[in-house]
Amino acid sequence: MLRQVIRDAKSLARNVALASLAALGLLGAGNAQAAFPERPITLIVPWAAGGGTDAVARQIANIMERDLKQPVNVVNRTGGSGVVGHQAIATAAPDGYTFGLITLEITLMHWAGLTDLTFEKFTPLGLVNQDFAAIHVKADSPYKNVKELFAHIKANPNKVVASGTGQGGSWHVALAGLMQADGVSPTSIRWVPSTGAATALTDLAAGGVDFVACSMPEAEALIKAGRIRSLAFFSPKRAPNFPDVPTTEEATGHKFHKGVWRGFAAPKGLPPEIAKTYEAAIKKAWDSDEFKDFMTRRGFDMIYLDAARYGEFMKADDEDNGKALKSLGLAK
């Protein structure tokens, strides 16, 4: 009898010990999850330091550091028209300690044959900005609206000259999409490649080209100087700083909205709980007065989409850009 009591006591003690260890194990696992991030984070930017994308990334990084209680180190990985940096984000370990600020180019590069990389190789975390395209003409241009411009292009194929970016670049693709929507062949204009909007706008003001497609902030100085006019803004709503410029829907009747965008993403396979941590931190930073003031000063449009809607947005943008590049004969 005594031996049985001793055996039962030992068994009970062993079970209690095992249960305690199991509870400690579960507690430890919970603490490990809650502790993310436990070390510094790397934020990859596919574009050069000092540019708009870099500035947005650093602003968000500064705010996120205070929220996540860990350094968020911005690393610029340039080259290959954005391929190098986007590839570095996509191929990083999906452990949460590397994420990036990806851009419109991820929906262009593969169509142009520059890479096999697509938006599907990322875990979307949140869209924070979209600067919509606009069509600008010289102040004394005979075109009073987009309909007049497009009618002239139809009547005079390959006579009208336009610029704004490189061949097949963001603004060229945006313009091609609107021309397609209005029944105008995107190849019926002569596109002069430029190193950027600033160069194209200088040519426009000097009379070297007939019109330019680029964002409103890029053209703001020349608009305010009275040297150029804007015919249409590719946004669902008018620009606050330029309330007299009609949207594309108002100017053409087409609900066509297009522009360059910036959003955060991580490698595919990021654990859902870490993705949620990032999504919350990004939204908190986006909502802050600090970020709003920065975006207003820089003239950037604030657009927010959560992870799910951002993924849908990239899919639709990829399809639209593929159609536009095909219409231009630039898709591989």
Side-chain angles (χ1 to χ4, degrees):
M1 182 69 177
L2 180 60
R3 289 179 180 177
Q4 181 64 42
V5 170
I6 292 173
R7 281 199 298 270
D8 290 345
K10 287 182 177 179
S11 177
L12 178 61
R14 184 170 61 253
N15 290 339
V16 169
L18 289 172
S20 298
L21 287 172
L24 287 171
L26 289 174
L27 182 61
N31 284 341
Q33 283 187 340
F36 177 85
E38 297 178 310
R39 53 187 171 85
I41 295 166
T42 296
L43 168 53
I44 296 176
V45 177
W47 306 102
T53 301
D54 176 72
V56 171
R58 291 179 188 276
Q59 189 67 28
I60 289 285
N62 289 338
I63 300 170
M64 287 180 70
E65 282 186 339
R66 300 194 290 270
D67 186 30
L68 298 178
K69 306 294 191 296
Q70 288 289 347
V72 180
N73 302 312
V74 176
V75 176
N76 301 90
R77 294 289 301 274
T78 61
S81 299
V83 172
V84 172
H86 284 90
Q87 187 74 40
I89 299 166
T91 57
D95 58 6
Y97 288 96
T98 300
F99 74 121
L101 186 59
I102 67 175
T103 59
L104 163 81
E105 283 71 17
I106 196 61
T107 63
L108 293 173
M109 298 183 296
H110 70 99
W111 290 111
L114 297 177
T115 178
D116 293 331
L117 188 65
T118 72
F119 71 94
E120 295 173 317
K121 298 297 182 181
F122 298 89
T123 299
L125 300 173
L127 181 74
V128 297
N129 157 249
Q130 185 173 21
D131 293 319
F132 294 95
I135 293 176
H136 313 281
V137 295
K138 196 177 177 184
D140 60 0
S141 169
Y143 314 117
K144 303 304 180 185
N145 53 58
V146 172
K147 282 295 188 181
E148 289 184 6
L149 173 61
F150 283 180
H152 184 76
I153 292 171
K154 281 184 178 180
N156 301 275
N158 300 315
K159 299 294 184 182
V160 178
V161 182
S163 188
T165 187
Q167 189 89 349
S170 55
W171 305 131
H172 192 195
V173 169
L175 174 64
L178 182 62
M179 292 177 71
Q180 273 187 304
D182 205 55
V184 185
S185 171
T187 58
S188 61
I189 61 170
R190 290 162 52 201
W191 183 265
V192 177
S194 69
T195 55
T199 303
L201 289 165
T202 300
D203 288 345
L204 175 65
V209 297
D210 296 302
F211 73 98
V212 162
C214 70
S215 72
M216 297 297 288
E218 289 170 317
E220 184 172 6
L222 288 174
I223 295 171
K224 289 183 175 179
R227 299 183 66 187
I228 66 174
R229 291 185 287 111
S230 302
L231 301 185
F233 186 43
F234 290 43
S235 169
K237 57 185 180 180
R238 294 194 179 197
N241 293 347
F242 302 96
D244 295 332
V245 180
T247 65
T248 45
E249 185 174 0
E250 293 169 331
T252 68
H254 307 296
K255 293 182 179 180
F256 183 83
H257 313 132
K258 187 65 66 174
V260 298
W261 52 262
R262 302 175 176 101
F264 290 94
K268 189 173 182 179
L270 186 72
E273 65 274 12
I274 295 178
K276 288 178 181 177
T277 297
Y278 269 122
E279 187 174 0
I282 291 165
K283 182 61 166 64
K284 185 175 180 179
W286 190 90
D287 281 331
S288 69
D289 290 338
E290 184 178 348
F291 187 63
K292 290 175 183 176
D293 291 344
F294 163 80
M295 296 295 276
T296 300
R297 289 197 310 271
R298 294 296 294 257
F300 293 144
D301 288 326
M302 289 189 67
I303 304 289
Y304 177 79
L305 292 178
D306 62 24
R309 291 186 297 157
Y310 178 31
E312 295 169 358
F313 168 86
M314 284 194 287
K315 180 179 180 181
D317 202 51
D318 189 86
E319 292 173 354
D320 287 345
N321 291 338
K323 292 176 184 176
L325 285 170
K326 288 175 182 176
S327 75
L328 291 167
L330 298 176
K332 299 296 172 108

